[in-house]
Amino acid sequence: MTRTGNSRRTFITGAAATAGALSAAGILPATAEAATGPATAAATAGTAAPGQGRRVAVLGGGVAGLTAAHELAERGYAVTVYERRALGGKARSMDVPGSARGGRRPLPAEHGFRFIPGIYHNLPDTMRRIPFPGNANGVWDNLVAPREMMFARAAGREDLRAPIPWPDHSPAELTPDELRRALTGILQSLVRLPLHETAYFVDRALVFLTSCDQRRDEQWERTPWWEFTRAARMSSEYQRILAIGVTRNIVATKAEEASTRTVGTLGEAFVFNLLGRGADGPPDRILNLPTNEAWIDPWEAHLRTLGVEFRIGWTVREVRYGDGRVSGVLIEDPAGTTRTVTADHYISALPVEHARRTWSPALRAADPMLGRCDLLRTDWMTGIQFYLTERAPLVHGHLNCIDSPWSLTAIQQAEHWPSRDFPADYGDGAAVDCLSVDISEWDKPGILYGKTAKQCTREEVAREVWAQLKASLNDTGKTLLSDGKLHSWFLDPGVDGLGTPRPTNQDELLIHPTGTFHNRPSAGTRIPNFFLSGDYVSVDIDLATMEGANASARAAVNSLLDRDGSPAPRCTVRGLYRAPEVESAKRHDLWRYRLGLRNVFDVG
């Protein structure tokens, strides 16, 4: 299908024109603050508007905030979103300043590459409801599935390439050289991973698969993945692939700390996804355009047509409490003026490290659950993009440099953006591809300077990451990445102060050490008009993900509807797939757990 390349300006201009026409006709209010009547986009479309114009202030414009605004606007609420920086949050893409030449777009950059696996259901449902020109299923049709993935090894060890099975996938070209590399990688891994260790890991997976929910929530939540897999007793290959590699890729947390409940639950979901069970689509999906073009800009445009208002550059300072309710929110506008915003309801959709700083002492006293959020931990996981003047023959999908000190993962973008001719559309015409890299480990020394990423300057970070990529990819006699192909690089501007004693990161990632599950709050609080939304809120997918942000926003809206006595239909919140075949084994394990016995497959 041919994709129509609509710019942000096209989407937003069209949305503004539509909203302006509706406002001029008296159908939509000119501002959210003035929206006191029942007129809404839902009412205009001939559907009921149970919200009757009641006002909701959504604090934060990331995936959680935009989802909450979407669900509320469809139910007749007057919504205003307050966002300090840019819509989309960590999911957005951004322009590289000063990179455009000859009428082209600026080079596209991002906090980190998008990954929307088939285990997600709530987020894809929202994407299907965001119109996109030429797409029958809206933005969802902009998802494409990489055909393979690669574990890139260092020290002269052949990379392990793996196809991603799915009915619609066509296999990568199997040239004699590709076959040689694939077989060498598999055999090297098999030889280095002792057979008894492989068997033991499979047994541990079976233990988790058949564990009842209570054992998962209590015993395995308090057991580090490193301990659960007995990694300390195993070979370095076992530790690198099955302990460290799994946790860094799935939960971006150190194996020695990561909750077995979190790692195991997500691993289980991905296995079922590979088997085609309970899947929305292939196990690996990305967008076929930069995120804002493919998703965030169309979403903003659609929400504006539903009457949602946006206050960009407005920073939330304090959520105030009085008379048993949130009485208002202290917000600083782009001019630096502080004002109090009031609404009927408030949804806090900020990341947890920012949200908890806005909760006043009186608010915290009203619900002790908020105080437990101080125990939730965040860490650095930040993206850097390398723009290349030649396509590098790496892999048709994600690559994981599992031997890299900074735990690098990456993907080449251009081949997955078929509706864009990279050199013709972006930059100065010299860059033909974007290698987008996520840096997961910021506290271990690198190979070039012997310093941690936080101790390096921005330039040193770029050189170090490039050196680690080359060490993982150029170590088997073939130069896949060369300095001569490097056009430029861009490091997420949310990171500041690198190389100084006080580096900062505006966009940290919630991590999942043991015990985290018990400190995650629910979407509804004890304050009747205050709700929580974000990837730290307790939902079925126990991981900091866009799916978790979306599901929590739906839960927050449902709680708001309940408090409001609204007759509007509740949001559907789908959990992870549960295989019916193992439910009997889990019931048997519940009986054993209550008796203080091990899982039947847990032989130590």
Side-chain angles (χ1 to χ4, degrees), residues 106-302:
L107 287 170
E110 54 198 356
H111 167 73
F113 54 74
R114 302 278 66 72
F115 173 52
I116 304 175
I119 67 172
Y120 291 4
H121 289 281
N122 299 291
L123 185 69
D125 172 70
T126 296
M127 297 178 84
R128 288 184 176 94
R129 290 154 46 204
I130 303 170
F132 193 93
N135 288 359
N137 297 300
V139 163
W140 185 86
D141 281 340
N142 288 339
L143 293 174
V144 294
R147 294 176 290 168
E148 58 181 346
M149 65 174 296
M150 179 169 74
F151 291 98
R153 307 306 306 269
R157 294 156 74 175
E158 189 59 71
D159 302 327
L160 179 59
R161 301 163 70 100
I164 301 175
W166 202 255
D168 293 333
H169 279 193
S170 57
E173 184 180 0
L174 294 178
T175 63
D177 184 58
E178 288 296 313
L179 285 170
R180 178 194 61 77
R181 292 189 62 191
L183 290 173
T184 302
I186 293 170
L187 289 174
Q188 283 185 355
S189 294
L190 289 177
V191 168
R192 287 185 168 87
L193 191 62
L195 185 60
H196 74 277
E197 292 187 354
T198 302
Y200 185 78
F201 185 81
V202 171
D203 176 70
R204 301 310 290 167
L206 192 60
V207 168
F208 188 86
L209 183 67
T210 58
S211 288
C212 63
D213 291 342
Q214 287 84 345
R215 191 185 297 276
R216 295 185 182 197
D217 293 349
E218 297 168 16
Q219 182 179 358
W220 300 142
E221 171 60 23
R222 293 182 170 87
T223 304
W225 182 251
W226 184 267
E227 179 182 326
F228 179 78
T229 57
R230 307 294 194 270
R233 308 178 189 174
M234 304 299 181
S235 65
S236 61
E237 194 79 357
Y238 179 101
Q239 294 173 357
R240 175 60 60 183
I241 297 175
L242 299 177
I244 299 172
V246 167
T247 52
R248 271 299 178 187
N249 275 273
I250 293 181
V251 298
T253 307
K254 295 178 177 63
E256 296 85 350
E257 300 177 349
S259 155
T260 292
R261 179 190 187 279
T262 299
V263 179
T265 299
L266 270 294
E268 175 186 58
F270 279 115
V271 168
F272 286 132
N273 192 178
L274 284 166
L275 297 174
R277 302 290 294 274
D280 180 80
D284 188 0
R285 295 180 298 187
I286 60 176
L287 292 164
N288 65 356
L289 289 167
T291 308
N292 274 37
E293 293 184 50
W295 175 23
I296 303 300
D297 289 348
W299 201 1
E300 177 186 354
H302 180 57

Side-chain angles (χ1 to χ4, degrees), residues 210 212 215 582-594 598-601:
T210 58
C212 63
R215 191 185 297 276
V582 299
E583 289 304 308
S584 60
K586 291 172 71 174
R587 287 193 295 270
H588 176 71
D589 187 60
L590 175 60
W591 171 77
R592 294 181 61 87
Y593 183 68
R594 287 172 173 170
R598 289 182 173 186
N599 179 279
V600 68
F601 296 103

Side-chain angles (χ1 to χ4, degrees), residues 27 62 87 143 181 220 318 362 379 398 501 508 514 570 580 597:
I27 296 171
L87 297 180
L143 293 174
R181 292 189 62 191
W220 300 142
E318 184 180 12
D379 204 349
H398 290 95
E508 296 193 14
T514 56
R570 287 354 185 212
L597 302 174

Side-chain angles (χ1 to χ4, degrees), residues 530-604:
F530 185 62
F531 310 89
L532 302 179
S533 170
D535 59 14
Y536 67 98
V537 174
S538 181
V539 290
D540 194 52
I541 186 166
D542 178 25
L543 190 66
T545 58
M546 295 183 293
E547 173 77 350
N550 184 281
S552 71
R554 292 166 179 247
V557 170
N558 285 346
S559 183
L560 185 154
L561 297 174
D562 290 343
R563 299 274 178 86
D564 222 19
S566 171
R570 287 354 185 212
C571 308
T572 300
V573 186
R574 287 192 59 177
L576 292 170
Y577 175 75
R578 299 172 71 100
E581 296 91 338
V582 299
E583 289 304 308
S584 60
K586 291 172 71 174
R587 287 193 295 270
H588 176 71
D589 187 60
L590 175 60
W591 171 77
R592 294 181 61 87
Y593 183 68
R594 287 172 173 170
L595 291 175
L597 302 174
R598 289 182 173 186
N599 179 279
V600 68
F601 296 103
D602 191 353
V603 295

